[in-house]
Amino acid sequence: MLDIPSRVRVHVETLLAAQNNMGVCDAFQQYAPVWKPDAMNAPHPPKVAGIDPTVPTPAHTVASASAVSGAPSVPGAAAVPAPHAPAPGALLQDRLAGWVSDLTTLHELTERLSRTSTLDAALHELLRAGAALVGARRGLAVLEPADGLGPRTTLGLGLGRADLGHLETVPRGALPYDTRGGAEILHPDLFAEDGLDPRHREVAARLGYSASYALPLATESAGRLGAAVWLYDQPAEPHERRRHLAGLYARHATEHLARLLEVERTRARVAAITDGLLPARLPRVPGVQLAARHHTGPCGGGDWYDALPLPDAALGLSVGSVTGRGPSAVAAMGRLRASLRAYAVMEGEDPVAVLSDLELLLRLTEPARSATALFAYCEPALRKITLAGAGHSPPLLTGERRTEFAETSVSAPLGMLACWEAPSAEVQAEAGETVLLYTDGLLHRTGDPADRAFARLHAAAASVPRALRHDPGAVADHVLRTVLPDGPDRPDAAGGTEDVVLLAARFD
């Protein structure tokens, strides 16, 4: 931070007036002079997205009093200021104005960075802002945490996937950046350097860059996370002031990336635990084909699905959701699913008894938690399904001749009443029809009210192409793409934190 005395008052009329109608960076570019080529060893400074990316010198920089007056001193004569000489203290005021301008620029850029919530978005913002600070057009960021826990990724600004692939062929020691070092790396003129690696020279010529400036993404608290490098089309060297601003910004970006990295790792761990508690593969039962799709929310939820072979060539299908989020909900889901499997083996032909026992267990062992569940006892040879639901959405039956929701009794979720009980329902499927079991997360991710979400799901199932209906996995994928066109992992404001479960069973 710059040490500016609190008694010093800075009057920056141009900057303050410009801020009323535009951003700080835009005000700099419109009202402040641009550096001359000798301050930046590039004959034609590049541009970023049509905007001059330079960070100009302070708009109020003036020459010294002696340089402006240009008159020789007369011995014994009183010093008479030149007509355009600055007032006393003007030079200090001008320097302070430049410092305030720099701090305002950093504040605006770091504020944009702080609004990013994913690693990819933060890295893209880092490259974009850094390019504006150092006057470059292209760049790339390499994330390689020193602890080896990952994730490892490389993102480019103005560089395609093929361009990044070419850079990866350069020997690690000859790259224009170093993810293991702790200092900036400057190559003002790559092709004029002695000892440049031949492969690096070849790649630079292919990609069309002649200079580079790299900064490490490392701080004492965050450790070494990687590096960012910006590429110039012509020989160039960032001014010292530019490098100072870029270094301050990179240190702040590293701290932000470290926080996002920890969040990303936590989400990955929760997702791995959740996947480990769910079936690794679905059973093969004659007369029915199965497919499942599961997407864990960013906070980790308690949604589950299961398919269990039962005696007499029967099949038990279940989906459900435990209230709450995070590791505790995931653990409760695992306990509840394991208990349901045991009850299904003992009395699976009676779905009501299975859910009644599950409700009693939940009420005795976890009285503060509730859950929704649906259990179906399937007889593939007869294409008959007997099911019971506890506060759960009804299954959807779809085929070439019909697409309709199965009629089930309305009941409360498990753990909501002193004693749960509801009548079961029977569904008779036809050959080639698919039964879709799903959790409420699929409906909530749409962001629509319940009636519109059900209508969207119905329309998606009815629109499955005939050529895909023989494959339950293709049916499930089509339904997900249609109901959630932006993907099941989008951060929707209504339900972006919930799990999505879809279990499809096609009867031969």
Side-chain angles (χ1 to χ4, degrees):
M1 297 296 294
L2 299 175
D3 186 13
I4 302 177
S6 59
R7 296 185 179 182
V8 178
R9 304 183 60 183
V10 181
H11 186 58
V12 192
E13 295 179 354
T14 303
L15 178 60
L16 296 179
Q19 290 185 39
N20 293 330
N21 299 317
M22 63 184 69
V24 176
C25 293
D26 297 334
F28 287 146
Q29 293 160 1
Q30 180 168 344
Y31 291 97
V34 181
W35 281 334
K36 300 191 185 306
D38 56 353
M40 181 85 170
N41 296 331
H44 301 286
K47 294 187 177 182
V48 179
I51 301 176
D52 188 351
T54 58
V55 180
T57 53
H60 304 274
T61 301
V62 296
S64 62
S66 60
V68 173
S69 63
S73 59
V74 180
V80 179
H84 299 288
L91 184 58
L92 176 60
Q93 178 176 332
D94 181 74
R95 289 180 178 177
L96 290 174
W99 294 341
V100 171
S101 299
D102 292 346
L103 292 176
T104 308
T105 302
L106 285 176
H107 174 73
E108 181 175 303
L109 295 178
T110 54
E111 191 176 51
R112 293 178 186 174
L113 180 67
S114 65
R115 289 196 290 266
T116 58
S117 57
T118 63
L119 279 175
D120 286 357
L123 290 173
H124 280 300
E125 179 61 25
L126 163 66
L127 289 175
R128 188 204 63 80
L133 288 173
V134 302
R137 188 174 64 90
R138 295 177 293 172
L140 70 149
V142 180
L143 193 64
E144 293 182 359
D147 56 14
L149 299 179
R152 298 164 61 97
T153 184
T154 302
L155 292 177
L157 173 68
L159 298 173
R161 187 178 300 274
D163 299 332
L164 298 177
H166 286 307
L167 284 169
E168 290 178 353
T169 63
V170 178
R172 190 175 185 89
L175 286 169
Y177 60 88
D178 185 6
T179 58
R180 297 167 296 181
E184 62 181 10
I185 299 177
L186 175 63
H187 294 287
D189 191 348
L190 286 168
F191 297 102
E193 290 185 13
D194 296 331
L196 184 66
D197 185 89
R199 181 54 185 168
H200 188 187
R201 188 187 305 275
E202 179 182 349
V203 171
R206 179 187 293 269
L207 301 185
Y209 68 89
S210 301
S212 65
Y213 176 63
L215 284 174
L217 300 178
T219 62
E220 184 176 352
S221 58
R224 298 196 311 272
L225 302 184
V229 58
W230 293 273
L231 308 176
Y232 299 91
D233 296 342
Q234 301 293 333
E237 180 177 353
H239 190 274
E240 182 180 356
R241 175 169 169 259
R242 291 168 171 261
R243 292 159 62 178
H244 178 67
L245 291 177
L248 293 176
Y249 179 78
R251 286 194 287 273
H252 176 83
T254 302
E255 296 292 341
H256 183 64
L257 288 172
R259 291 188 289 269
L260 293 179
L261 185 65
E262 188 60 31
V263 172
E264 187 72 19
R265 289 174 175 176
T266 302
R267 290 176 179 175
R269 294 188 189 105
V270 172
I273 294 174
T274 303
D275 292 340
L277 293 174
L278 296 175
R281 59 181 180 179
L282 296 175
R284 295 183 178 181
V285 178
V288 64
Q289 302 177 50
L290 301 174
R293 300 293 183 265
H294 175 258
H295 297 271
T296 304
C299 299
D303 289 16
W304 84 81
Y305 68 91
D306 203 355
L308 180 65
L310 297 176
D312 301 326
L315 176 68
L317 301 177
S318 70
V319 292
S321 177
V322 175
T323 57
R325 298 172 186 168
S328 62
V330 174
M333 176 270 289
R335 293 190 293 268
L336 208 62
R337 173 181 167 270
S339 302
L340 189 147
R341 290 173 67 91
Y343 297 141
V345 170
M346 293 186 294
E347 48 193 4
E349 67 279 359
D350 186 357
V352 172
V354 172
L355 293 187
S356 297
D357 292 343
L358 191 65
E359 191 275 338
L360 178 60
L361 176 70
L362 182 67
R363 184 156 45 90
L364 293 176
T365 59
E366 301 186 53
R369 196 181 296 275
S370 62
T372 64
L374 187 144
F375 179 75
Y377 180 79
C378 305
E379 299 174 80
L382 303 176
R383 292 193 291 274
K384 179 181 176 182
I385 306 172
T386 305
L387 57 89
H392 208 80
S393 301
L396 181 59
L397 189 67
T398 180
E400 294 185 6
R401 298 183 180 180
R402 61 173 176 171
T403 297
E404 60 186 25
F405 289 100
E407 294 185 5
T408 58
S409 58
V410 178
S411 64
L414 302 177
M416 297 293 290
L417 301 178
C419 182
W420 178 92
E421 186 173 353
S424 61
E426 289 188 0
V427 176
Q428 185 65 49
E430 297 181 3
E433 289 187 330
T434 301
V435 177
L436 299 176
L437 309 181
Y438 52 92
T439 58
D440 293 340
L442 176 61
L443 304 175
H444 295 164
R445 286 289 184 100
T446 64
D448 293 334
D451 55 344
R452 294 182 60 185
F454 277 113
R456 180 183 291 192
L457 177 60
H458 183 279
S463 65
V464 176
R466 183 175 183 180
L468 302 180
R469 291 191 176 274
H470 69 282
D471 183 1
V475 173
D477 291 335
H478 176 84
V479 170
L480 284 179
R481 286 194 305 267
T482 307
V483 176
L484 306 175
D486 296 332
D489 297 322
R490 66 173 183 172
D492 187 84
T497 60
E498 296 195 24
D499 291 4
V500 173
V501 166
L502 181 60
L503 178 61
R506 181 187 182 275
F507 290 89
D508 298 334

